[in-house]
Amino acid sequence: MDDRNLALELVRVTETAALASAKFMGRGDKNGADGAAVEGMRMAFESVNIRGEIVIGEGELDEAPMLYVGEKVGSGFGPSFDIAVDPLDGTSLIAKGLPNAIAVIAMANQGCMLKAPDTYMEKIIVGPKAKGCIDLTKSVSENLHAVAKALGKPVDAITATLLDRERHQGIVDEIREAGARIKVFNEGDIAAGIAACFENTGVDIMFGMGGAPEGVIAAAAVKILGGDMQGRLCPMSEQEVERCHEMGFSDEDINKVLTLEDLVSGDEIFFAATGVTSGDFLRGVVYTGDNMATTHSVVMRSKSGTIRFVEATHKLDKNEILRKLMKAYGNR
């Protein structure tokens, strides 16, 4: 399969997950939304001509019935890839009808994607103009001033984004003391991290601690977009430390500052995402009547450097996967 066609096939997979979960917007059923997204994405993968292995997914085999770590996806023909998925990044967002829920896939050649444990990761992300200016070992203020200098802005014109969590109060205090602006988000740090790489979002830098698997997925997009990212694993319990050890991380590895290259490497990286609810850089699913819906997606490929935004119109009753999912989830 031509790599350009493969990129568009991945969009069809994220579109299916988004369409499957979008009916749950505002209904308070995050598990139902997530289940529909997972099942839709898994079914859509069957027609993609790759030999894929899930390296970041819904959990281990005994935790997840599908899209589990180690599961083989794709038709079984074509090139081999490591795949990281989040069929619904922002389950609480869609349950409450809030922005920035997305369906997302990242893909790279085998062995080129960090197999991150399910723990927290400290992260810092910037766009292309500030590449090389960030340092996770330096203070929030030092990073803000370095980014402001790179962007040619005063610090009080810099906007930092981070999860609205009590654990981030120290970072918030430092940002305020430096004089920069703050934009918080409730969930969905993949979308928030990627927003830092697009000038029109008004976000210049992302700070804070979020999921390590989501960090790797975001890193794929950041690398393709030419931005920069650093991360550091932050296990929060002895059990999580042990899990890191089981996955091959030494204590030194756990404390190491991970560069973008550590997170995702190689020159063949794909990233695709479809908006479920409208957010900073993708619009959500819109139902237009007559059993029709529109989706807004982004697909990126590192080898060509191409970034495409795709708006598609779907006749829902013509999609066999969606018909099956609506029958299974429609009455929830």
Side-chain angles (χ1 to χ4, degrees), residues 158-281:
I158 295 294
T159 300
T161 190
L162 71 169
L163 272 165
D164 186 13
R165 298 290 189 272
E166 186 176 344
R167 64 178 179 267
H168 290 155
Q169 188 57 51
I171 297 176
V172 169
D173 292 342
E174 288 189 68
I175 295 171
R176 288 173 176 167
E177 186 174 349
R181 304 183 338 140
I182 298 175
K183 180 178 181 181
V184 298
F185 57 96
N186 293 315
E187 192 181 342
D189 62 348
I190 296 176
I194 297 169
C197 294
F198 287 97
E199 289 189 21
N200 62 356
T201 63
V203 174
D204 300 303
I205 185 169
M206 189 185 94
F207 289 105
M209 194 186 297
E214 290 85 351
V216 175
I217 296 174
V222 171
K223 184 165 185 179
I224 297 170
L225 290 165
D228 203 1
M229 176 176 177
Q230 291 185 0
R232 180 163 47 202
L233 296 176
C234 297
M236 304 299 285
S237 66
E238 287 299 322
Q239 290 81 3
E240 289 187 2
V241 171
E242 183 58 33
R243 177 62 179 146
C244 290
H245 291 162
E246 289 173 358
M247 294 181 68
F249 292 88
S250 67
D251 288 335
E252 183 179 351
D253 293 331
I254 292 171
N255 294 313
K256 175 185 175 183
V257 172
L258 301 167
T259 67
L260 191 54
E261 191 69 16
D262 292 324
L263 296 167
V264 182
S265 59
D267 62 355
E268 188 65 297
I269 303 166
F270 294 86
F271 178 91
T274 299
V276 182
T277 59
S278 292
D280 289 328
F281 76 106

Side-chain angles (χ1 to χ4, degrees), residues 109-128:
N109 290 126
Q110 283 186 318
C112 290
M113 194 173 285
L114 182 75
K115 296 181 179 180
D118 189 10
T119 185
Y120 281 126
M121 177 185 284
E122 187 181 358
K123 309 169 191 177
I124 183 170
I125 300 175
V126 292

Side-chain angles (χ1 to χ4, degrees), residues 88-112:
L88 182 57
D89 181 40
T91 55
S92 293
L93 298 178
I94 191 169
K96 297 175 182 177
L98 295 172
N100 277 329
I102 61 173
V104 60
I105 296 169
M107 192 165 76
N109 290 126
Q110 283 186 318
C112 290

